[in-house]
C-alpha cells in the first residue's frame, strides 16, 4: 500500500491510499490523484505500485517531475519523498509508516492520524455556495462541495482556490492579482477564512459567500 497526501501552500488538501497498480497523477479529473492546477499536466506522472519501492515516471516532457527538489524522468520513491508541482506538494508515505493507524485504534503516526481526522471532519461542515451578484449570470449558485474548488479563467492569471477544511472554507489564489478582492480589500497572497455574506470580486464579477444555516 501507499499513501499520497496533497498539500497546497503547506495546507493539506486531500489524501488517498492505494493498494497496487498504476497510480496516475495529473490535472484531469480522470486521474487517480487529481491536482487542480495549471502547473500540472493533464497527465503528469504515473506511479507503478507493484513492488517496493514504487517507481514514478514523468509523462509529459513539458511539465517537469520534481522529487525532493531534483528533476527526474524516472525514479523510485522512498518514504517521505515529496513531489513538487507549482504551489502543490504531494508527500508519499510507505505502507510501513501508516499501516498501524489503519489497522488499530492507536496510530503510530500522529501527523497522518491528525490529517485523516481533519479530512473526515470536513463532512460536518455546513454546505456552502457562492452566488453571482452581477453580470449575465446573476443569481447563479456555485456549490462548494469539493475539497478544493477552483474559480477563474485559464490564461488570465485570475485563478483562486477555495479549500474546504475542518474549521471552514478558506480562499487563496495561485498568483497575486489586484482584481481579486474580499469585502473591498485585496486578497493578495493571503489565505483567508470565509465568513457568511462575504463579498468576493473575481475577474470583476461580484459573488457572495454563504453557508446553509439549516445544517445541524
Amino acid at each position: 500500500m501507499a499513501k499520497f497526501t496533497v498539500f497546497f501552500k503547506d495546507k493539506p488538501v486531500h489524501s488517498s491510499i492505494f493498494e497496487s497498480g498504476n497510480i496516475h497523477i495529473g490535472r484531469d479529473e480522470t486521474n487517480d490523484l487529481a491536482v487542480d492546477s495549471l502547473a500540472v499536466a493533464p497527465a503528469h506522472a504515473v506511479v507503478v505500485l507493484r513492488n517496493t519501492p514504487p517507481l514514478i515516471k514523468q509523462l509529459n516532457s513539458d511539465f517537469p517531475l520534481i522529487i525532493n527538489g531534483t528533476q527526474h524522468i524516472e525514479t523510485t520513491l522512498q518514504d517521505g519523498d515529496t513531489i513538487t508541482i507549482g504551489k502543490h506538494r504531494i508527500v508519499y508515505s510507505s505502507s510501513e509508516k501508516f499501516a498501524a493507524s489503519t489497522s488499530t485504534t492507536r496510530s503510530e503516526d500522529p501527523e497522518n492520524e491528525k490529517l485523516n481526522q481533519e479530512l473526515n471532519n470536513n463532512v460536518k461542515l455546513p454546505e456552502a455556495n457562492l452566488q453571482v451578484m452581477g453580470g449575465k449570470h446573476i443569481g447563479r449558485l456555485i456549490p462548494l462541495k469539493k475539497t478544493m474548488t477552483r474559480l477563474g479563467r485559464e490564461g488570465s492569471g485570475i485563478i483562486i482556490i477555495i479549500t474546504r477544511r475542518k474549521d471552514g472554507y478558506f480562499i487563496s489564489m495561485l498568483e497575486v492579482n489586484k482584481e481579486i478582492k474580499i469585502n473591498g480589500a485585496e486578497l493578495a497572497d493571503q489565505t483567508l477564512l470565509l465568513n457568511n455574506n462575504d463579498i468576493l470580486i473575481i475577474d470583476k464579477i461580484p459573488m457572495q459567500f454563504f453557508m446553509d444555516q439549516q445544517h445541524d
Side-chain angles (χ1 to χ4, degrees), residues 152-164:
R153 293 182 291 112
E154 293 188 7
S156 68
I158 303 175
I159 301 292
I160 72 164
I161 302 292
I162 296 178
T163 306
R164 179 175 177 170

Side-chain angles (χ1 to χ4, degrees), residues 16-62:
S16 299
I17 296 174
F18 301 95
E19 293 282 348
S20 62
N22 294 335
I23 313 305
H24 288 86
I25 302 171
R27 186 171 70 241
D28 193 277
E29 291 185 356
T30 59
N31 286 280
D32 302 292
L33 199 62
V35 180
D36 192 7
S37 168
L38 293 177
V40 184
H44 197 101
V46 61
V47 178
V48 181
L49 191 62
R50 293 192 179 92
N51 301 308
T52 302
L55 181 70
I56 186 169
K57 301 178 181 180
Q58 179 183 5
L59 294 180
N60 191 320
S61 60
D62 293 329

Side-chain angles (χ1 to χ4, degrees), residues 128-129 183 194-199 208-213:
N129 299 273
N183 300 323
L194 288 172
N195 296 303
N196 240 358
N197 302 316
D198 277 352
I199 300 296
Q208 185 176 40
F209 171 84
F210 65 93
M211 290 186 286
D212 182 2
Q213 298 299 308

Side-chain angles (χ1 to χ4, degrees), residues 62-80:
D62 293 329
F63 291 80
L65 177 62
I66 308 295
I67 310 293
N68 299 328
T70 303
Q71 186 169 338
H72 295 271
I73 295 176
E74 180 178 308
T75 189
T76 55
L77 289 174
Q78 304 296 329
D79 182 65

Side-chain angles (χ1 to χ4, degrees), residues 37-194:
S37 168
L38 293 177
V40 184
H44 197 101
V46 61
V47 178
V48 181
L49 191 62
R50 293 192 179 92
N51 301 308
T52 302
L55 181 70
I56 186 169
K57 301 178 181 180
Q58 179 183 5
L59 294 180
N60 191 320
S61 60
D62 293 329
F63 291 80
L65 177 62
I66 308 295
I67 310 293
N68 299 328
T70 303
Q71 186 169 338
H72 295 271
I73 295 176
E74 180 178 308
T75 189
T76 55
L77 289 174
Q78 304 296 329
D79 182 65
D81 278 354
T82 297
I83 307 165
T84 302
I85 309 174
K87 295 184 179 180
H88 287 81
R89 294 186 299 113
I90 304 174
V91 177
Y92 161 70
S93 300
S94 68
S95 59
E96 290 82 3
K97 186 163 184 176
F98 67 86
S101 66
T102 59
S103 60
T104 67
T105 56
R106 182 178 178 181
S107 171
E108 295 182 5
D109 183 357
E111 289 302 317
N112 278 336
E113 184 180 34
K114 180 180 178 181
L115 174 57
N116 284 331
Q117 186 63 47
E118 177 175 335
L119 296 170
N120 290 335
N121 284 345
N122 280 343
V123 298
K124 299 179 182 179
L125 273 178
E127 296 296 327
N129 299 273
L130 289 176
Q131 184 168 26
V132 180
M133 306 299 290
K136 63 180 180 180
H137 297 298
I138 188 171
R140 177 185 175 186
L141 290 179
I142 302 173
L144 304 174
K145 294 183 178 181
K146 295 182 179 180
T147 303
M148 182 174 65
T149 301
R150 188 180 71 173
L151 297 171
R153 293 182 291 112
E154 293 188 7
S156 68
I158 303 175
I159 301 292
I160 72 164
I161 302 292
I162 296 178
T163 306
R164 179 175 177 170
R165 304 211 299 260
K166 175 180 66 175
D167 45 352
Y169 294 81
F170 289 79
I171 184 171
S172 58
M173 57 179 152
L174 295 181
E175 296 181 9
V176 175
N177 191 302
K178 294 183 179 180
E179 296 295 324
I180 300 177
K181 298 182 178 180
I182 307 294
N183 300 323
E186 292 181 17
L187 177 60
D189 59 352
Q190 305 173 84
T191 297
L192 296 180
L193 172 66
L194 288 172

